[in-house]
Amino acid sequence: MDKREIDGVEINGKSIITSLKIIKQVCKDNLNEKGNCGNCPFL
């Protein structure tokens, strides 16, 4: 597989896992009082 980058970040297993962990944390941080995604910045 050729080396690839997105916004200066090399795409590899570690960067993919880190990205998923960041998304997971953003989701947890933006749950509303009902525990759903009402405050999601990705919507």
Side-chain angles (χ1 to χ4, degrees):
M1 181 157 112
D2 294 333
K3 268 190 167 183
R4 295 191 61 206
E5 289 188 2
I6 296 176
D7 292 334
V9 177
E10 184 180 333
I11 300 171
N12 57 41
K14 184 178 179 182
S15 67
I16 292 168
I17 296 299
T18 300
S19 298
L20 291 170
K21 287 178 180 179
I22 291 168
I23 292 168
K24 181 179 178 181
Q25 188 61 54
V26 169
C27 288
K28 285 181 178 182
D29 291 347
N30 286 284
L31 291 176
N32 65 17
E33 62 280 347
K34 293 180 181 179
N36 62 32
C37 301
N39 300 323
C40 181
F42 298 124
L43 295 177

Short mmCIF file of all heavy atoms in Angstrom, two decimals:
data_model
loop_
_atom_site.label_atom_id
_atom_site.label_comp_id
_atom_site.label_asym_id
_atom_site.label_seq_id
_atom_site.Cartn_x
_atom_site.Cartn_y
_atom_site.Cartn_z
N MET A 1 0.84 -1.18 0.00
CA MET A 1 0.00 0.00 0.00
C MET A 1 0.89 1.25 0.00
O MET A 1 1.86 1.32 0.73
CB MET A 1 -0.89 -0.01 1.25
CG MET A 1 -1.81 1.17 1.32
SD MET A 1 -3.26 0.83 2.35
CE MET A 1 -2.98 1.88 3.73
N ASP A 2 0.54 2.20 -0.84
CA ASP A 2 1.29 3.45 -0.91
C ASP A 2 1.06 4.27 0.35
O ASP A 2 -0.01 4.20 0.96
CB ASP A 2 0.84 4.28 -2.13
CG ASP A 2 1.19 3.61 -3.44
OD1 ASP A 2 2.16 2.83 -3.47
OD2 ASP A 2 0.49 3.87 -4.43
N LYS A 3 2.06 5.07 0.72
CA LYS A 3 1.89 6.00 1.83
C LYS A 3 0.89 7.06 1.43
O LYS A 3 0.98 7.62 0.35
CB LYS A 3 3.21 6.68 2.17
CG LYS A 3 4.01 5.99 3.22
CD LYS A 3 5.15 6.90 3.64
CE LYS A 3 5.77 6.40 4.90
NZ LYS A 3 6.84 7.27 5.37
N ARG A 4 -0.08 7.30 2.31
CA ARG A 4 -1.08 8.33 2.03
C ARG A 4 -1.19 9.24 3.23
O ARG A 4 -0.95 8.83 4.36
CB ARG A 4 -2.43 7.69 1.73
CG ARG A 4 -2.37 6.86 0.45
CD ARG A 4 -3.69 6.41 -0.04
NE ARG A 4 -4.52 7.56 -0.35
CZ ARG A 4 -5.85 7.55 -0.35
NH1 ARG A 4 -6.49 6.45 -0.07
NH2 ARG A 4 -6.54 8.63 -0.63
N GLU A 5 -1.59 10.47 2.97
CA GLU A 5 -1.78 11.46 4.03
C GLU A 5 -3.07 12.22 3.80
O GLU A 5 -3.50 12.40 2.67
CB GLU A 5 -0.63 12.47 4.06
CG GLU A 5 0.67 11.92 4.55
CD GLU A 5 1.72 13.01 4.73
OE1 GLU A 5 1.41 14.20 4.51
OE2 GLU A 5 2.85 12.67 5.09
N ILE A 6 -3.66 12.65 4.89
CA ILE A 6 -4.80 13.57 4.86
C ILE A 6 -4.47 14.69 5.82
O ILE A 6 -4.17 14.44 7.00
CB ILE A 6 -6.11 12.88 5.28
CG1 ILE A 6 -6.47 11.78 4.27
CG2 ILE A 6 -7.24 13.89 5.41
CD1 ILE A 6 -7.70 10.98 4.65
N ASP A 7 -4.47 15.90 5.33
CA ASP A 7 -4.14 17.09 6.14
C ASP A 7 -2.84 16.91 6.90
O ASP A 7 -2.72 17.29 8.06
CB ASP A 7 -5.28 17.42 7.10
CG ASP A 7 -6.53 17.90 6.39
OD1 ASP A 7 -6.40 18.44 5.27
OD2 ASP A 7 -7.63 17.75 6.94
N GLY A 8 -1.86 16.30 6.27
CA GLY A 8 -0.54 16.14 6.88
C GLY A 8 -0.43 14.97 7.85
O GLY A 8 0.63 14.77 8.43
N VAL A 9 -1.50 14.19 8.03
CA VAL A 9 -1.46 13.04 8.93
C VAL A 9 -1.34 11.78 8.08
O VAL A 9 -2.17 11.54 7.20
CB VAL A 9 -2.73 12.97 9.82
CG1 VAL A 9 -2.71 11.72 10.68
CG2 VAL A 9 -2.85 14.21 10.67
N GLU A 10 -0.31 10.99 8.37
CA GLU A 10 -0.13 9.74 7.64
C GLU A 10 -1.23 8.76 8.02
O GLU A 10 -1.56 8.60 9.19
CB GLU A 10 1.23 9.13 7.97
CG GLU A 10 1.52 7.88 7.17
CD GLU A 10 2.87 7.26 7.48
OE1 GLU A 10 3.79 8.00 7.90
OE2 GLU A 10 3.00 6.05 7.31
N ILE A 11 -1.81 8.13 7.00
CA ILE A 11 -2.86 7.16 7.24
C ILE A 11 -2.20 5.82 7.55
O ILE A 11 -1.51 5.25 6.71
CB ILE A 11 -3.77 7.01 6.02
CG1 ILE A 11 -4.43 8.33 5.69
CG2 ILE A 11 -4.82 5.93 6.26
CD1 ILE A 11 -5.17 8.34 4.38
N ASN A 12 -2.41 5.36 8.79
CA ASN A 12 -1.93 4.05 9.20
C ASN A 12 -2.82 3.57 10.34
O ASN A 12 -3.74 4.27 10.76
CB ASN A 12 -0.45 4.11 9.62
CG ASN A 12 -0.19 5.10 10.74
OD1 ASN A 12 -0.96 5.19 11.70
ND2 ASN A 12 0.88 5.85 10.65
N GLY A 13 -2.58 2.39 10.82
CA GLY A 13 -3.42 1.82 11.86
C GLY A 13 -3.53 2.70 13.09
O GLY A 13 -4.61 2.90 13.64
N LYS A 14 -2.40 3.25 13.53
CA LYS A 14 -2.39 4.08 14.74
C LYS A 14 -3.19 5.37 14.54
O LYS A 14 -3.97 5.76 15.41
CB LYS A 14 -0.95 4.42 15.13
CG LYS A 14 -0.86 5.20 16.42
CD LYS A 14 0.58 5.47 16.82
CE LYS A 14 0.61 6.27 18.10
NZ LYS A 14 1.96 6.59 18.51
N SER A 15 -3.04 6.02 13.40
CA SER A 15 -3.77 7.27 13.17
C SER A 15 -5.27 7.02 13.04
O SER A 15 -6.08 7.85 13.45
CB SER A 15 -3.22 8.03 11.96
OG SER A 15 -3.47 7.32 10.76
N ILE A 16 -5.64 5.88 12.49
CA ILE A 16 -7.07 5.55 12.37
C ILE A 16 -7.67 5.31 13.75
O ILE A 16 -8.74 5.85 14.07
CB ILE A 16 -7.26 4.32 11.46
CG1 ILE A 16 -6.89 4.68 10.02
CG2 ILE A 16 -8.70 3.80 11.54
CD1 ILE A 16 -6.77 3.49 9.09
N ILE A 17 -6.98 4.55 14.60
CA ILE A 17 -7.47 4.30 15.96
C ILE A 17 -7.56 5.60 16.75
O ILE A 17 -8.55 5.85 17.45
CB ILE A 17 -6.58 3.27 16.69
CG1 ILE A 17 -6.66 1.91 15.99
CG2 ILE A 17 -6.95 3.16 18.16
CD1 ILE A 17 -8.04 1.28 15.94
N THR A 18 -6.56 6.46 16.62
CA THR A 18 -6.58 7.76 17.30
C THR A 18 -7.77 8.59 16.85
O THR A 18 -8.46 9.19 17.66
CB THR A 18 -5.25 8.52 17.07
OG1 THR A 18 -4.18 7.74 17.58
CG2 THR A 18 -5.28 9.88 17.74
N SER A 19 -8.02 8.61 15.56
CA SER A 19 -9.16 9.37 15.03
C SER A 19 -10.48 8.86 15.59
O SER A 19 -11.36 9.65 15.97
CB SER A 19 -9.20 9.27 13.50
OG SER A 19 -8.04 9.83 12.95
N LEU A 20 -10.63 7.54 15.66
CA LEU A 20 -11.86 6.97 16.21
C LEU A 20 -12.01 7.30 17.70
O LEU A 20 -13.12 7.59 18.17
CB LEU A 20 -11.87 5.46 16.00
CG LEU A 20 -12.01 5.02 14.54
CD1 LEU A 20 -11.78 3.52 14.42
CD2 LEU A 20 -13.37 5.40 13.99
N LYS A 21 -10.92 7.30 18.44
CA LYS A 21 -10.96 7.66 19.87
C LYS A 21 -11.38 9.11 20.04
O LYS A 21 -12.13 9.45 20.96
CB LYS A 21 -9.62 7.41 20.54
CG LYS A 21 -9.32 5.94 20.74
CD LYS A 21 -7.96 5.74 21.37
CE LYS A 21 -7.65 4.28 21.60
NZ LYS A 21 -6.32 4.08 22.19
N ILE A 22 -10.89 9.99 19.19
CA ILE A 22 -11.26 11.41 19.24
C ILE A 22 -12.75 11.57 18.98
O ILE A 22 -13.46 12.28 19.70
CB ILE A 22 -10.43 12.24 18.24
CG1 ILE A 22 -8.98 12.31 18.71
CG2 ILE A 22 -11.02 13.65 18.08
CD1 ILE A 22 -8.02 12.85 17.66
N ILE A 23 -13.26 10.90 17.95
CA ILE A 23 -14.69 10.97 17.62
C ILE A 23 -15.51 10.45 18.78
O ILE A 23 -16.53 11.05 19.17
CB ILE A 23 -14.99 10.21 16.31
CG1 ILE A 23 -14.34 10.94 15.14
CG2 ILE A 23 -16.50 10.07 16.11
CD1 ILE A 23 -14.33 10.15 13.85
N LYS A 24 -15.10 9.35 19.38
CA LYS A 24 -15.82 8.77 20.52
C LYS A 24 -15.88 9.77 21.67
O LYS A 24 -16.93 9.94 22.30
CB LYS A 24 -15.12 7.48 20.97
CG LYS A 24 -15.80 6.79 22.12
CD LYS A 24 -15.06 5.50 22.47
CE LYS A 24 -15.69 4.80 23.66
NZ LYS A 24 -14.94 3.57 24.01
N GLN A 25 -14.76 10.45 21.96
CA GLN A 25 -14.74 11.41 23.06
C GLN A 25 -15.62 12.61 22.77
O GLN A 25 -16.33 13.10 23.64
CB GLN A 25 -13.30 11.86 23.35
CG GLN A 25 -13.19 12.71 24.59
CD GLN A 25 -13.63 11.97 25.84
OE1 GLN A 25 -13.15 10.89 26.12
NE2 GLN A 25 -14.56 12.53 26.58
N VAL A 26 -15.60 13.10 21.53
CA VAL A 26 -16.46 14.22 21.14
C VAL A 26 -17.92 13.82 21.33
O VAL A 26 -18.74 14.61 21.84
CB VAL A 26 -16.18 14.67 19.70
CG1 VAL A 26 -17.24 15.64 19.20
CG2 VAL A 26 -14.80 15.31 19.61
N CYS A 27 -18.26 12.60 20.96
CA CYS A 27 -19.63 12.12 21.14
C CYS A 27 -20.02 12.12 22.62
O CYS A 27 -21.09 12.60 23.00
CB CYS A 27 -19.80 10.72 20.56
SG CYS A 27 -19.78 10.68 18.76
N LYS A 28 -19.16 11.57 23.47
CA LYS A 28 -19.43 11.53 24.91
C LYS A 28 -19.58 12.95 25.48
O LYS A 28 -20.44 13.20 26.32
CB LYS A 28 -18.31 10.81 25.65
CG LYS A 28 -18.34 9.32 25.48
CD LYS A 28 -17.20 8.70 26.28
CE LYS A 28 -17.20 7.19 26.20
NZ LYS A 28 -16.12 6.61 27.01
N ASP A 29 -18.74 13.85 25.04
CA ASP A 29 -18.74 15.22 25.56
C ASP A 29 -19.97 16.02 25.13
O ASP A 29 -20.28 17.04 25.73
CB ASP A 29 -17.49 15.98 25.10
CG ASP A 29 -16.22 15.46 25.74
OD1 ASP A 29 -16.29 14.69 26.72
OD2 ASP A 29 -15.13 15.83 25.25
N ASN A 30 -20.68 15.56 24.10
CA ASN A 30 -21.79 16.34 23.56
C ASN A 30 -23.16 15.68 23.70
O ASN A 30 -24.11 16.09 23.04
CB ASN A 30 -21.51 16.68 22.10
CG ASN A 30 -20.47 17.75 21.98
OD1 ASN A 30 -20.73 18.92 22.21
ND2 ASN A 30 -19.24 17.34 21.68
N LEU A 31 -23.26 14.68 24.57
CA LEU A 31 -24.56 14.10 24.85
C LEU A 31 -25.42 15.13 25.58
O LEU A 31 -24.92 15.87 26.43
CB LEU A 31 -24.43 12.85 25.72
CG LEU A 31 -23.79 11.64 25.07
CD1 LEU A 31 -23.62 10.52 26.08
CD2 LEU A 31 -24.58 11.16 23.87
N ASN A 32 -26.70 15.16 25.27
CA ASN A 32 -27.57 16.09 25.98
C ASN A 32 -28.11 15.42 27.24
O ASN A 32 -27.74 14.29 27.56
CB ASN A 32 -28.68 16.63 25.07
CG ASN A 32 -29.66 15.57 24.61
OD1 ASN A 32 -29.74 14.49 25.18
ND2 ASN A 32 -30.41 15.87 23.56
N GLU A 33 -28.96 16.13 27.97
CA GLU A 33 -29.46 15.63 29.25
C GLU A 33 -30.25 14.33 29.14
O GLU A 33 -30.37 13.57 30.10
CB GLU A 33 -30.31 16.70 29.96
CG GLU A 33 -31.55 17.14 29.22
CD GLU A 33 -31.30 18.15 28.11
OE1 GLU A 33 -30.20 18.74 28.03
OE2 GLU A 33 -32.22 18.37 27.31
N LYS A 34 -30.75 14.03 27.96
CA LYS A 34 -31.49 12.77 27.74
C LYS A 34 -30.53 11.64 27.34
O LYS A 34 -30.97 10.51 27.17
CB LYS A 34 -32.54 12.95 26.67
CG LYS A 34 -33.66 13.89 27.09
CD LYS A 34 -34.68 14.02 25.98
CE LYS A 34 -35.78 14.99 26.41
NZ LYS A 34 -36.77 15.16 25.35
N GLY A 35 -29.27 11.93 27.19
CA GLY A 35 -28.30 10.92 26.83
C GLY A 35 -28.26 10.58 25.35
O GLY A 35 -27.75 9.54 24.97
N ASN A 36 -28.82 11.48 24.53
CA ASN A 36 -28.74 11.22 23.09
C ASN A 36 -27.90 12.29 22.41
O ASN A 36 -27.32 13.15 23.06
CB ASN A 36 -30.13 11.06 22.46
CG ASN A 36 -30.99 12.29 22.59
OD1 ASN A 36 -30.48 13.39 22.58
ND2 ASN A 36 -32.28 12.09 22.72
N CYS A 37 -27.85 12.26 21.12
CA CYS A 37 -26.93 13.10 20.35
C CYS A 37 -27.48 14.47 19.98
O CYS A 37 -27.08 15.04 18.95
CB CYS A 37 -26.52 12.34 19.08
SG CYS A 37 -25.73 10.78 19.43
N GLY A 38 -28.36 15.02 20.77
CA GLY A 38 -28.96 16.31 20.46
C GLY A 38 -27.99 17.46 20.32
O GLY A 38 -28.26 18.45 19.65
N ASN A 39 -26.81 17.35 20.95
CA ASN A 39 -25.82 18.43 20.90
C ASN A 39 -24.65 18.11 19.98
O ASN A 39 -23.61 18.75 20.05
CB ASN A 39 -25.28 18.70 22.31
CG ASN A 39 -26.36 19.12 23.27
OD1 ASN A 39 -27.28 19.84 22.89
ND2 ASN A 39 -26.28 18.69 24.51
N CYS A 40 -24.81 17.15 19.12
CA CYS A 40 -23.71 16.65 18.28
C CYS A 40 -23.20 17.73 17.31
O CYS A 40 -23.95 18.28 16.52
CB CYS A 40 -24.18 15.43 17.48
SG CYS A 40 -22.88 14.74 16.45
N PRO A 41 -21.88 18.01 17.35
CA PRO A 41 -21.33 18.97 16.40
C PRO A 41 -21.17 18.41 15.00
O PRO A 41 -20.90 19.15 14.06
CB PRO A 41 -19.95 19.28 17.01
CG PRO A 41 -19.58 18.07 17.76
CD PRO A 41 -20.89 17.52 18.30
N PHE A 42 -21.35 17.10 14.83
CA PHE A 42 -21.22 16.49 13.52
C PHE A 42 -22.52 16.53 12.71
O PHE A 42 -22.52 16.18 11.54
CB PHE A 42 -20.77 15.02 13.65
CG PHE A 42 -19.42 14.88 14.31
CD1 PHE A 42 -19.27 14.10 15.44
CD2 PHE A 42 -18.29 15.50 13.80
CE1 PHE A 42 -18.03 13.94 16.05
CE2 PHE A 42 -17.05 15.37 14.41
CZ PHE A 42 -16.93 14.58 15.53
N LEU A 43 -23.62 16.92 13.34
CA LEU A 43 -24.90 16.97 12.63
C LEU A 43 -25.01 18.22 11.79
O LEU A 43 -24.52 19.23 12.05
CB LEU A 43 -26.07 16.90 13.60
CG LEU A 43 -26.19 15.60 14.38
CD1 LEU A 43 -27.34 15.68 15.37
CD2 LEU A 43 -26.40 14.43 13.45
#
